[in-house]
Amino acid sequence: MSNRTLRAFFANRLAMAGMVILLLLVLGAIFAPILVPYNPTSTDFSALQQPPSSKHWFGTDQLGRDIFSRVIYGARVSLAAGLISVLLALLLGGLIGLVAGFYGGWIDDVLMRLTDAMLAFPFLVLAIALAAVLGPSLQNTMLAIGVVTTPVFARLIRGQVLAERPREYVQAAVALGSSDGRIITRHLLPNILGPLIVQVSLSTATAVLAEATLSFLGLGVQPPTPSWGSMLNDARGYLSQAPHMALFPGLAIFLAVLAFNLIGDGLRDALDPRMKK
Amino acid sequence: MFLFVLRRLMGGLPTLLLVTVLVFTLTRVLPGDPARLLLGEEATPELVAQIREELGLNRPILVQYADWLWGLVRGDLGHSIRGNEPVAPIIWQKLPTTLELSLFSLLVAIVIGIPAGVLAALRRNTAIDAGVTVMALSGVSIPNFFLGILLIYVFSIRLAWIPPSGYVEPWVDLQKNLLLMLMPAITLGTALAGAIARFTRNSMLEVLSQDYVRTARAKGLEGRVVVYKHALRNAAIPVVTVIGLQLGGLLGGAVVTEQVFSIPGFGRLLVDSVFNRDFPVLQAVVLISALAVFLINVLTDLLYAAIDPRIRYH
């Protein structure tokens, strides 16, 4: 990315707000053991469903667990799920898109038909079905979300490769006798990085939301591991007595998803030459 | 027009065929034997073998697929393992509820999203524009189950205006039906409203800078006429595309919304089939949702012609 792009990105206040939220979440996730006042899974039956107080900042849940500690630990699950599933989709989709776009012909036809078929399903319906078949766990949730996100990257990268391939610098590399691998990694990849980074950011927002949704439905991370989605599911039963049980994990999901959306948007605007004032 | 629809439907056949392969693979080839999934981990091998025999799982996989596909062609979606009844009637019974929810959500999304997007474009780079942008992004980012829970807390628990959950068929009690649909429709429509607002804003900005808009203004047309008659109509095409593309997402969101508000629809059926390990139902629900997305795409194509007279289908 050029300096001008970076400057445009850093001048975007909304994108910077997203960066700050993301930084706080990442720090929270990394330093969770130091930051939290209580063990996120230890119960305290003398302090059930307490409202927020100086002792328990976000209150306690139906088993007397400290919600602040659980929300901080939940950031680990959420960020890991979001980032790893998108990384998986990027690798798988990248491979499919590069091969389809670079070699064309029947390989392209077969691969694109397959991605079309996958894109025919509503994202969440397919993710739920996959997670259900694989069985509920954090790994399987990531796998399900990653696979369902794959066609998005395959399509994007294929399109970019098709657009870049006929250009002179690629033709020059071909004429100089560079190998396919070298052309792909040295010439094509750096030139399609921009749209790719935007998509990674936006897809991570979707993936974080999908993980929370699967956990909310009981198909994701299993108890007692704290996950924002399952915390919200627990909270549903106690909404009239203890609304704080829903409020904090809900806000956490909202902020995490918002952060990735803000960053993705800011990057897209910074990379789009038409957006220059 | 008729020929176009026919050609469009035929053109989608290869993809739909692949969709059936994927759905079939999902439940038959992936780890996890349906018989074992049905019976649980502790089942005896004899029992598993017996169920496999009953479900026809020990026949060659291609035969099973062909059998299933032939059933689909005849409208037979298989047999529910739990309920011991055909799946197709269950689906037809649940589908209208989800359709109603989706249509109301779409209405909410359009009524909020399009005016907000137009307003933001007309007041570009003002506080109003920034406000709409932040609201729209928030709408896209808020998990619908969280929004649903917030609405239930405020309107059902605190204010006690609306019952927190349940469903009444519109032909039984229309007023009650609409009241109960209100919160779910807002819950499901908010994300789409955000997406529509953003696309309407960008599309309007592009159109407003065009020559014909300047000409319309120059010849002294009233501002409102220019905006609604000239600009919005042209800006609508990309917006319709986005709405069409997002309707599939609405179907996914309906799964969660129906769960939060205990609405006995198509989405609830999906979640129930997962927890009941009822794979024929799961298979059918996933397949029908893909088919729905496909039909929505065809409808979206047809809508273009209604908006833009330059587009004609032959």
Side-chain angles (χ1 to χ4, degrees):
Chain A
M1 263 186 273
S2 68
N3 278 337
R4 202 172 56 182
T5 308
L6 284 178
R7 258 206 308 279
F9 177 68
F10 283 108
N12 184 335
R13 269 193 232 154
L14 285 176
M16 282 307 103
M19 288 293 275
V20 170
I21 300 171
L22 180 62
L23 193 71
L24 288 176
L25 285 172
V26 170
L27 290 177
I30 294 173
F31 298 109
I34 309 170
L35 285 172
V36 301
Y38 298 89
N39 181 328
T41 53
S42 67
T43 53
D44 178 358
F45 292 99
S46 65
L48 300 182
Q49 293 178 357
Q50 291 198 345
S53 64
S54 59
K55 234 176 122 196
H56 297 283
W57 294 348
F58 290 178
T60 60
D61 69 4
Q62 80 280 13
L63 298 174
R65 295 174 296 195
D66 181 56
I67 293 178
F68 175 73
S69 307
R70 289 178 68 74
V71 166
I72 297 285
Y73 265 90
R76 290 188 158 188
V77 171
S78 223
L79 290 179
L83 293 171
I84 294 174
S85 58
V86 170
L87 191 68
L88 179 73
L90 179 65
L91 291 177
L92 270 174
L95 190 68
I96 295 172
L98 279 174
V99 169
F102 198 78
Y103 295 104
W106 67 269
I107 301 178
D108 185 29
D109 285 343
V110 170
L111 290 174
M112 282 308 111
R113 276 288 174 201
L114 203 66
T115 43
D116 278 351
M118 283 187 71
L119 286 169
F121 298 96
F123 178 84
L124 207 53
V125 171
L126 193 58
I128 289 171
L130 258 180
V133 172
L134 294 170
S137 74
L138 181 58
Q139 282 89 334
N140 287 343
T141 305
M142 294 191 284
L143 188 61
I145 298 170
V147 168
V148 178
T149 311
T150 297
V152 177
F153 284 99
R155 274 285 195 82
L156 173 74
I157 292 173
R158 171 183 175 269
Q160 293 289 326
V161 170
L162 284 181
E164 295 293 321
R165 211 180 129 73
R167 303 203 19 198
E168 281 92 350
Y169 72 90
V170 181
Q171 295 304 317
V174 174
L176 284 169
S178 302
S179 67
D180 288 357
R182 188 181 160 83
I183 292 171
I184 288 173
T185 52
R186 278 302 176 87
H187 299 283
L188 285 176
L189 272 182
N191 280 292
I192 63 179
L193 211 56
L196 212 54
I197 294 174
V198 173
Q199 191 57 50
V200 165
S201 186
L202 297 177
S203 283
T204 309
T206 313
V208 168
L209 198 53
E211 184 278 321
T213 305
L214 290 175
S215 294
F216 176 75
L217 293 173
L219 290 169
V221 180
Q222 294 300 299
T225 310
S227 139
W228 297 336
S230 55
M231 288 169 75
L232 257 169
N233 192 27
D234 288 345
R236 280 174 69 201
Y238 309 95
L239 211 50
S240 51
Q241 311 93 293
H244 64 271
M245 278 175 64
L247 185 64
F248 295 106
L251 278 178
I253 306 170
F254 170 61
L255 286 176
V257 177
L258 184 67
F260 284 110
N261 273 330
L262 286 172
I263 294 168
D265 248 35
L267 284 169
R268 179 163 51 198
D269 287 354
L271 284 161
D272 188 347
R274 285 180 309 171
M275 298 295 286
K276 299 260 151 56
K277 284 186 191 132
Chain B
M1 171 84 170
F2 174 74
L3 272 179
F4 168 79
V5 175
L6 197 69
R7 241 202 342 254
R8 187 71 175 67
L9 291 175
M10 296 304 278
L13 275 184
T15 308
L16 284 182
L17 198 66
L18 250 176
V19 163
T20 64
V21 174
L22 287 181
V23 171
F24 186 80
T25 313
L26 187 72
T27 45
R28 299 293 168 93
V29 180
L30 283 176
D33 170 358
R36 189 161 277 288
L37 282 165
L38 175 70
L39 294 166
E41 296 296 327
E42 289 89 35
T44 60
E46 293 78 38
L47 197 57
V48 171
Q50 188 197 330
I51 291 289
R52 285 183 63 85
E53 177 76 39
E54 272 174 31
L55 295 175
L57 292 171
N58 41 13
R59 291 176 300 160
I61 196 84
L62 276 177
V63 175
Q64 288 184 46
Y65 172 70
D67 210 38
W68 179 66
L69 198 61
W70 177 233
L72 291 183
V73 173
R74 289 173 301 152
D76 175 8
L77 292 171
H79 221 75
S80 161
I81 295 176
R82 284 288 145 139
N84 199 21
E85 53 188 326
V87 176
I90 308 179
I91 294 209
W92 300 135
Q93 189 211 329
K94 307 271 182 189
L95 214 48
T97 309
T98 302
L99 204 64
E100 189 196 354
L101 173 61
S102 305
L103 285 178
F104 273 125
S105 310
L106 184 61
L107 194 70
V108 168
I110 290 174
V111 166
I112 299 172
I114 290 187
V118 171
L119 189 69
L122 293 178
R123 302 270 181 275
R124 189 184 185 182
N125 295 334
T126 62
I128 294 176
D129 184 16
V132 169
T133 302
V134 171
M135 288 290 286
L137 260 176
S138 303
V140 174
S141 303
I142 193 165
N144 52 13
F145 46 90
F146 181 45
L147 182 60
I149 288 173
L150 283 180
L151 289 175
I152 290 178
Y153 181 69
V154 173
F155 293 102
S156 303
I157 294 176
R158 287 275 123 179
L159 298 171
W161 286 353
I162 307 174
S165 63
Y167 179 75
V168 176
E169 272 135 353
W171 48 84
V172 174
D173 184 345
L174 185 63
Q175 211 182 340
K176 187 108 193 265
N177 170 275
L178 293 178
L179 184 70
L180 284 169
M181 269 293 166
L182 196 60
M183 290 198 297
I186 294 172
T187 301
L188 185 53
T190 297
L192 188 56
I196 291 178
R198 281 152 54 81
F199 272 90
T200 306
R201 174 187 178 273
N202 293 347
S203 185
M204 274 300 272
L205 281 179
E206 209 141 291
V207 171
L208 284 173
S209 66
Q210 304 265 321
D211 287 344
Y212 63 82
V213 172
R214 202 179 45 193
T215 307
R217 285 222 166 101
K219 74 178 183 184
L221 279 182
E222 206 188 324
R224 200 188 309 170
V225 177
V226 176
V227 169
Y228 290 101
K229 198 136 184 257
H230 293 251
L232 185 57
R233 188 152 180 167
N234 284 290
I237 290 190
V239 176
V240 168
T241 309
V242 170
I243 295 175
L245 288 175
Q246 300 271 343
L247 279 180
L250 221 50
L251 208 56
V255 176
V256 185
T257 309
E258 289 177 6
Q259 197 68 17
V260 172
F261 292 97
S262 308
I263 298 171
F266 191 67
R268 256 317 265 273
L269 189 63
L270 172 69
V271 176
D272 289 346
S273 74
V274 165
F275 285 103
N276 290 335
R277 297 174 174 167
D278 200 338
F279 278 71
V281 176
L282 175 67
Q283 220 169 22
V285 170
V286 175
L287 184 71
I288 296 292
S289 65
L291 194 66
V293 171
F294 170 69
L295 290 177
I296 289 166
N297 286 341
V298 176
L299 271 179
T300 311
D301 279 357
L302 290 177
L303 252 181
Y304 294 151
I307 299 169
D308 189 343
R310 284 171 303 183
I311 300 173
R312 281 279 165 266
Y313 299 115
H314 301 291

